[in-house]
Amino acid sequence: MPHLPTSDGRQPWRAHVLTLFPEAFPGPLGVSLAAQARNARIWSLDTTQLRDFGLGKHRQVDDTPAGGGAGMVLRADVLGPALDHAQNLNPEAPLIYLSPRGTPLTQGLARDLAQGPGVTLLAGRFEGIDERVIAAKGLKEISIGDYVLAGGEVAAMVLIEACVRLLPGVVGTSESLTTESFEMGLLEYPQFTKPRDWDGRSIPDVLLSGDHKKIETWRREQSERLTADRRPDLLRSRGQKPT
Ligand code: SAH
């Protein structure tokens, strides 16, 4: 019974992954906050085995690339019906293909997706998928970074985890979300905890001063310095809404 409402009557945020490796899930989504939130029905996770839509006795899902070249490509006549099936289950959810060619996944995009009804995610394998499926089904392509993975499963988990921790009730205080890296268009300031002295290093005095105004100023400066050093591209795009 995956789609019962939460105790306060809200519908869960629904993640559905189409994959050749459903056994990879929930993986890291099955521990800690994401697991608790799933038990509380704040979100749900379903997988569809693409091979169930495979062709013939061998349930074939892929074939050689038209025009030649290395590797195999997932077939349109397999993915099409699989995507139709998934779309029927959650018609309002965007259809997303995890792909190195896609729009980069950012905190802003995760926030937008977390505000919707959920996501239907297609995880590719091999050389990828037949291009015609992307156009025919209106797939939105999303990349988790400028490197190539062996499959879309880990990328799907990354996207889901980034969204799930933004759902109301998942992370304890909403303040711990708003001060995080990227939320202000800045990287987060350095964090410290006990003990006060460790290995010849101490916690910066200002953090122990109890002066909240000073602490806020120090953190802000640290954030700006770190961002300028490591990610000047974030500062340049700060005029716009942070994404
Ligand atoms: N030949 C393709 C890469 C295929 S990698 C190309 O050059 O673009 C196999 C699958 O892994 C892809 O279909 C995609 O679903 C997934 N994948 C690989 N890298 C990814 C990334 N950076 N972001 C999201 N998905 C990725």
Side-chain angles (χ1 to χ4, degrees), residues 74 97-102 122-129 142-156:
L74 290 168
Y97 169 46
L98 282 316
S99 155
R101 298 189 322 192
L122 173 60
R125 277 272 156 182
F126 321 123
E127 288 310 309
I129 71 174
I142 296 181
S143 166
I144 66 156
D146 291 344
Y147 38 76
V148 180
L149 304 167
E153 288 75 16
V154 170

mmCIF file of all heavy atoms in Angstrom, residues 74 97-102 122-129 142-156, ligand 1:
data_model
loop_
_atom_site.group_PDB
_atom_site.id
_atom_site.type_symbol
_atom_site.label_atom_id
_atom_site.label_comp_id
_atom_site.label_asym_id
_atom_site.label_seq_id
_atom_site.Cartn_x
_atom_site.Cartn_y
_atom_site.Cartn_z
ATOM 1 N N LEU A 74 19.147 1.586 -25.462
ATOM 2 C CA LEU A 74 17.828 1.107 -25.013
ATOM 3 C C LEU A 74 16.779 1.460 -26.071
ATOM 4 O O LEU A 74 16.738 2.582 -26.583
ATOM 5 C CB LEU A 74 17.482 1.712 -23.653
ATOM 6 C CG LEU A 74 18.333 1.177 -22.490
ATOM 7 C CD1 LEU A 74 18.139 2.013 -21.229
ATOM 8 C CD2 LEU A 74 17.991 -0.280 -22.204
ATOM 9 N N TYR A 97 14.593 12.108 -17.618
ATOM 10 C CA TYR A 97 15.632 11.155 -18.009
ATOM 11 C C TYR A 97 16.962 11.659 -17.443
ATOM 12 O O TYR A 97 17.391 12.763 -17.760
ATOM 13 C CB TYR A 97 15.701 11.038 -19.540
ATOM 14 C CG TYR A 97 16.903 10.297 -20.057
ATOM 15 C CD1 TYR A 97 17.300 9.080 -19.499
ATOM 16 C CD2 TYR A 97 17.652 10.802 -21.123
ATOM 17 C CE1 TYR A 97 18.417 8.399 -19.976
ATOM 18 C CE2 TYR A 97 18.761 10.127 -21.615
ATOM 19 C CZ TYR A 97 19.137 8.929 -21.032
ATOM 20 O OH TYR A 97 20.244 8.258 -21.492
ATOM 21 N N LEU A 98 17.573 10.865 -16.564
ATOM 22 C CA LEU A 98 18.890 11.226 -16.030
ATOM 23 C C LEU A 98 19.909 11.062 -17.159
ATOM 24 O O LEU A 98 20.018 9.977 -17.728
ATOM 25 C CB LEU A 98 19.265 10.307 -14.864
ATOM 26 C CG LEU A 98 18.623 10.567 -13.498
ATOM 27 C CD1 LEU A 98 18.624 12.047 -13.147
ATOM 28 C CD2 LEU A 98 17.254 9.978 -13.384
ATOM 29 N N SER A 99 20.625 12.139 -17.441
ATOM 30 C CA SER A 99 21.486 12.119 -18.623
ATOM 31 C C SER A 99 22.609 13.135 -18.486
ATOM 32 O O SER A 99 22.369 14.265 -18.046
ATOM 33 C CB SER A 99 20.628 12.474 -19.841
ATOM 34 O OG SER A 99 21.406 13.022 -20.868
ATOM 35 N N PRO A 100 23.836 12.776 -18.868
ATOM 36 C CA PRO A 100 24.923 13.752 -18.783
ATOM 37 C C PRO A 100 24.700 14.970 -19.680
ATOM 38 O O PRO A 100 25.340 15.999 -19.501
ATOM 39 C CB PRO A 100 26.168 12.971 -19.225
ATOM 40 C CG PRO A 100 25.724 11.638 -19.684
ATOM 41 C CD PRO A 100 24.284 11.467 -19.347
ATOM 42 N N ARG A 101 23.759 14.873 -20.605
ATOM 43 C CA ARG A 101 23.482 16.005 -21.494
ATOM 44 C C ARG A 101 22.450 16.952 -20.906
ATOM 45 O O ARG A 101 22.083 17.945 -21.543
ATOM 46 C CB ARG A 101 22.930 15.503 -22.829
ATOM 47 C CG ARG A 101 23.860 14.619 -23.619
ATOM 48 C CD ARG A 101 23.291 14.372 -25.000
ATOM 49 N NE ARG A 101 21.821 14.209 -24.951
ATOM 50 C CZ ARG A 101 21.085 13.755 -25.951
ATOM 51 N NH1 ARG A 101 21.663 13.396 -27.079
ATOM 52 N NH2 ARG A 101 19.778 13.662 -25.829
ATOM 53 N N GLY A 102 21.917 16.613 -19.728
ATOM 54 C CA GLY A 102 20.755 17.340 -19.227
ATOM 55 C C GLY A 102 21.067 18.671 -18.545
ATOM 56 O O GLY A 102 22.219 19.063 -18.379
ATOM 57 N N LEU A 122 13.697 8.065 -15.408
ATOM 58 C CA LEU A 122 14.205 6.990 -16.259
ATOM 59 C C LEU A 122 15.724 6.929 -16.106
ATOM 60 O O LEU A 122 16.421 7.909 -16.371
ATOM 61 C CB LEU A 122 13.821 7.252 -17.719
ATOM 62 C CG LEU A 122 14.421 6.297 -18.757
ATOM 63 C CD1 LEU A 122 13.989 4.841 -18.499
ATOM 64 C CD2 LEU A 122 14.002 6.722 -20.177
ATOM 65 N N ALA A 123 16.205 5.771 -15.635
ATOM 66 C CA ALA A 123 17.645 5.560 -15.490
ATOM 67 C C ALA A 123 18.144 4.804 -16.717
ATOM 68 O O ALA A 123 17.716 3.682 -16.973
ATOM 69 C CB ALA A 123 17.926 4.758 -14.215
ATOM 70 N N GLY A 124 19.023 5.429 -17.463
ATOM 71 C CA GLY A 124 19.579 4.771 -18.651
ATOM 72 C C GLY A 124 20.715 3.835 -18.277
ATOM 73 O O GLY A 124 21.179 3.805 -17.126
ATOM 74 N N ARG A 125 21.133 3.051 -19.257
ATOM 75 C CA ARG A 125 22.305 2.165 -19.127
ATOM 76 C C ARG A 125 22.972 2.106 -20.484
ATOM 77 O O ARG A 125 22.443 2.617 -21.464
ATOM 78 C CB ARG A 125 21.887 0.753 -18.705
ATOM 79 C CG ARG A 125 21.695 0.613 -17.212
ATOM 80 C CD ARG A 125 23.011 0.253 -16.509
ATOM 81 N NE ARG A 125 22.998 0.650 -15.113
ATOM 82 C CZ ARG A 125 24.039 0.479 -14.306
ATOM 83 N NH1 ARG A 125 25.156 -0.079 -14.727
ATOM 84 N NH2 ARG A 125 23.977 0.892 -13.052
ATOM 85 N N PHE A 126 24.092 1.457 -20.557
ATOM 86 C CA PHE A 126 24.826 1.269 -21.823
ATOM 87 C C PHE A 126 25.153 2.631 -22.438
ATOM 88 O O PHE A 126 25.597 3.533 -21.739
ATOM 89 C CB PHE A 126 24.048 0.351 -22.779
ATOM 90 C CG PHE A 126 23.367 -0.804 -22.095
ATOM 91 C CD1 PHE A 126 22.000 -1.020 -22.205
ATOM 92 C CD2 PHE A 126 24.101 -1.668 -21.273
ATOM 93 C CE1 PHE A 126 21.370 -2.091 -21.564
ATOM 94 C CE2 PHE A 126 23.483 -2.735 -20.623
ATOM 95 C CZ PHE A 126 22.118 -2.935 -20.773
ATOM 96 N N GLU A 127 24.864 2.784 -23.751
ATOM 97 C CA GLU A 127 25.169 4.072 -24.404
ATOM 98 C C GLU A 127 24.045 5.078 -24.232
ATOM 99 O O GLU A 127 24.157 6.220 -24.697
ATOM 100 C CB GLU A 127 25.443 3.863 -25.893
ATOM 101 C CG GLU A 127 26.768 3.174 -26.178
ATOM 102 C CD GLU A 127 27.934 3.817 -25.440
ATOM 103 O OE1 GLU A 127 28.091 5.053 -25.520
ATOM 104 O OE2 GLU A 127 28.676 3.075 -24.773
ATOM 105 N N GLY A 128 22.970 4.660 -23.576
ATOM 106 C CA GLY A 128 21.859 5.582 -23.385
ATOM 107 C C GLY A 128 20.592 5.073 -24.061
ATOM 108 O O GLY A 128 20.411 3.862 -24.217
ATOM 109 N N ILE A 129 19.715 6.005 -24.440
ATOM 110 C CA ILE A 129 18.388 5.628 -24.948
ATOM 111 C C ILE A 129 18.161 6.177 -26.354
ATOM 112 O O ILE A 129 18.805 7.153 -26.754
ATOM 113 C CB ILE A 129 17.266 6.108 -23.992
ATOM 114 C CG1 ILE A 129 17.109 7.636 -24.024
ATOM 115 C CG2 ILE A 129 17.550 5.644 -22.557
ATOM 116 C CD1 ILE A 129 15.933 8.143 -23.210
ATOM 117 N N ILE A 142 18.005 15.675 -17.061
ATOM 118 C CA ILE A 142 18.717 16.283 -15.927
ATOM 119 C C ILE A 142 20.020 15.537 -15.695
ATOM 120 O O ILE A 142 20.055 14.306 -15.693
ATOM 121 C CB ILE A 142 17.855 16.274 -14.643
ATOM 122 C CG1 ILE A 142 16.608 17.160 -14.837
ATOM 123 C CG2 ILE A 142 18.661 16.743 -13.435
ATOM 124 C CD1 ILE A 142 15.687 17.252 -13.628
ATOM 125 N N SER A 143 21.094 16.311 -15.518
ATOM 126 C CA SER A 143 22.423 15.751 -15.252
ATOM 127 C C SER A 143 22.817 16.025 -13.811
ATOM 128 O O SER A 143 22.507 17.093 -13.275
ATOM 129 C CB SER A 143 23.444 16.417 -16.175
ATOM 130 O OG SER A 143 24.757 16.134 -15.730
ATOM 131 N N ILE A 144 23.508 15.077 -13.180
ATOM 132 C CA ILE A 144 23.993 15.377 -11.823
ATOM 133 C C ILE A 144 25.437 15.894 -11.840
ATOM 134 O O ILE A 144 26.001 16.162 -10.789
ATOM 135 C CB ILE A 144 23.850 14.181 -10.857
ATOM 136 C CG1 ILE A 144 24.741 13.005 -11.238
ATOM 137 C CG2 ILE A 144 22.395 13.763 -10.732
ATOM 138 C CD1 ILE A 144 25.055 12.103 -10.037
ATOM 139 N N GLY A 145 26.032 16.062 -13.005
ATOM 140 C CA GLY A 145 27.371 16.641 -13.045
ATOM 141 C C GLY A 145 28.100 16.273 -14.315
ATOM 142 O O GLY A 145 27.667 15.391 -15.057
ATOM 143 N N ASP A 146 29.206 16.957 -14.535
ATOM 144 C CA ASP A 146 29.945 16.787 -15.789
ATOM 145 C C ASP A 146 30.916 15.620 -15.712
ATOM 146 O O ASP A 146 32.142 15.811 -15.693
ATOM 147 C CB ASP A 146 30.691 18.082 -16.136
ATOM 148 C CG ASP A 146 29.734 19.192 -16.528
ATOM 149 O OD1 ASP A 146 28.557 18.879 -16.829
ATOM 150 O OD2 ASP A 146 30.145 20.360 -16.523
ATOM 151 N N TYR A 147 30.383 14.435 -15.628
ATOM 152 C CA TYR A 147 31.136 13.187 -15.652
ATOM 153 C C TYR A 147 30.151 12.119 -16.103
ATOM 154 O O TYR A 147 28.943 12.357 -16.092
ATOM 155 C CB TYR A 147 31.707 12.842 -14.266
ATOM 156 C CG TYR A 147 30.764 13.195 -13.154
ATOM 157 C CD1 TYR A 147 29.649 12.401 -12.887
ATOM 158 C CD2 TYR A 147 30.933 14.366 -12.413
ATOM 159 C CE1 TYR A 147 28.747 12.742 -11.901
ATOM 160 C CE2 TYR A 147 30.026 14.717 -11.419
ATOM 161 C CZ TYR A 147 28.950 13.896 -11.171
ATOM 162 O OH TYR A 147 28.047 14.254 -10.197
ATOM 163 N N VAL A 148 30.650 10.979 -16.506
ATOM 164 C CA VAL A 148 29.769 9.943 -17.050
ATOM 165 C C VAL A 148 29.720 8.749 -16.103
ATOM 166 O O VAL A 148 30.749 8.167 -15.767
ATOM 167 C CB VAL A 148 30.227 9.505 -18.458
ATOM 168 C CG1 VAL A 148 29.292 8.429 -19.001
ATOM 169 C CG2 VAL A 148 30.253 10.694 -19.402
ATOM 170 N N LEU A 149 28.521 8.420 -15.668
ATOM 171 C CA LEU A 149 28.295 7.243 -14.824
ATOM 172 C C LEU A 149 27.982 6.044 -15.717
ATOM 173 O O LEU A 149 27.726 6.192 -16.898
ATOM 174 C CB LEU A 149 27.107 7.506 -13.886
ATOM 175 C CG LEU A 149 27.217 8.740 -12.999
ATOM 176 C CD1 LEU A 149 25.870 9.062 -12.368
ATOM 177 C CD2 LEU A 149 28.280 8.523 -11.940
ATOM 178 N N ALA A 150 27.980 4.866 -15.112
ATOM 179 C CA ALA A 150 27.655 3.657 -15.880
ATOM 180 C C ALA A 150 26.153 3.517 -16.080
ATOM 181 O O ALA A 150 25.700 2.838 -17.001
ATOM 182 C CB ALA A 150 28.208 2.429 -15.168
ATOM 183 N N GLY A 151 25.377 4.151 -15.217
ATOM 184 C CA GLY A 151 23.922 4.055 -15.323
ATOM 185 C C GLY A 151 23.257 5.179 -14.560
ATOM 186 O O GLY A 151 23.901 5.876 -13.768
ATOM 187 N N GLY A 152 21.965 5.341 -14.773
ATOM 188 C CA GLY A 152 21.245 6.448 -14.159
ATOM 189 C C GLY A 152 20.757 6.189 -12.742
ATOM 190 O O GLY A 152 20.162 7.073 -12.120
ATOM 191 N N GLU A 153 21.026 4.984 -12.203
ATOM 192 C CA GLU A 153 20.473 4.654 -10.880
ATOM 193 C C GLU A 153 21.023 5.568 -9.781
ATOM 194 O O GLU A 153 20.258 6.104 -8.971
ATOM 195 C CB GLU A 153 20.739 3.179 -10.529
ATOM 196 C CG GLU A 153 19.905 2.186 -11.314
ATOM 197 C CD GLU A 153 20.375 1.997 -12.756
ATOM 198 O OE1 GLU A 153 21.522 2.394 -13.078
ATOM 199 O OE2 GLU A 153 19.584 1.472 -13.557
ATOM 200 N N VAL A 154 22.340 5.706 -9.726
ATOM 201 C CA VAL A 154 22.928 6.566 -8.692
ATOM 202 C C VAL A 154 22.475 8.012 -8.890
ATOM 203 O O VAL A 154 22.155 8.713 -7.926
ATOM 204 C CB VAL A 154 24.472 6.447 -8.702
ATOM 205 C CG1 VAL A 154 25.107 7.512 -7.822
ATOM 206 C CG2 VAL A 154 24.899 5.055 -8.237
ATOM 207 N N ALA A 155 22.381 8.436 -10.139
ATOM 208 C CA ALA A 155 21.908 9.799 -10.426
ATOM 209 C C ALA A 155 20.472 9.979 -9.926
ATOM 210 O O ALA A 155 20.130 11.025 -9.354
ATOM 211 C CB ALA A 155 22.013 10.085 -11.919
ATOM 212 N N ALA A 156 19.635 8.960 -10.117
ATOM 213 C CA ALA A 156 18.250 9.035 -9.646
ATOM 214 C C ALA A 156 18.221 9.162 -8.122
ATOM 215 O O ALA A 156 17.447 9.944 -7.561
ATOM 216 C CB ALA A 156 17.470 7.795 -10.093
HETATM 217 N N1 SAH B 1 26.737 7.732 -24.048
HETATM 218 C C1 SAH B 1 26.154 8.630 -23.121
HETATM 219 C C2 SAH B 1 26.429 8.196 -21.666
HETATM 220 C C3 SAH B 1 25.708 6.945 -21.284
HETATM 221 S S1 SAH B 1 26.019 6.548 -19.603
HETATM 222 C C4 SAH B 1 26.739 10.035 -23.326
HETATM 223 O O1 SAH B 1 27.885 10.131 -23.719
HETATM 224 O O2 SAH B 1 26.041 11.019 -23.067
HETATM 225 C C5 SAH B 1 24.672 5.483 -19.245
HETATM 226 C C6 SAH B 1 23.532 6.107 -18.462
HETATM 227 O O3 SAH B 1 24.015 6.616 -17.243
HETATM 228 C C7 SAH B 1 22.851 7.258 -19.135
HETATM 229 O O4 SAH B 1 21.838 6.798 -20.001
HETATM 230 C C8 SAH B 1 22.297 8.049 -17.967
HETATM 231 O O5 SAH B 1 21.011 7.589 -17.583
HETATM 232 C C9 SAH B 1 23.274 7.743 -16.846
HETATM 233 N N2 SAH B 1 24.221 8.842 -16.577
HETATM 234 C C10 SAH B 1 25.537 8.833 -16.848
HETATM 235 N N3 SAH B 1 26.120 9.974 -16.470
HETATM 236 C C11 SAH B 1 25.166 10.740 -15.914
HETATM 237 C C12 SAH B 1 25.147 12.046 -15.336
HETATM 238 N N4 SAH B 1 26.238 12.801 -15.254
HETATM 239 N N5 SAH B 1 23.971 12.515 -14.876
HETATM 240 C C13 SAH B 1 22.852 11.774 -14.962
HETATM 241 N N6 SAH B 1 22.793 10.541 -15.507
HETATM 242 C C14 SAH B 1 23.934 10.015 -15.982
#
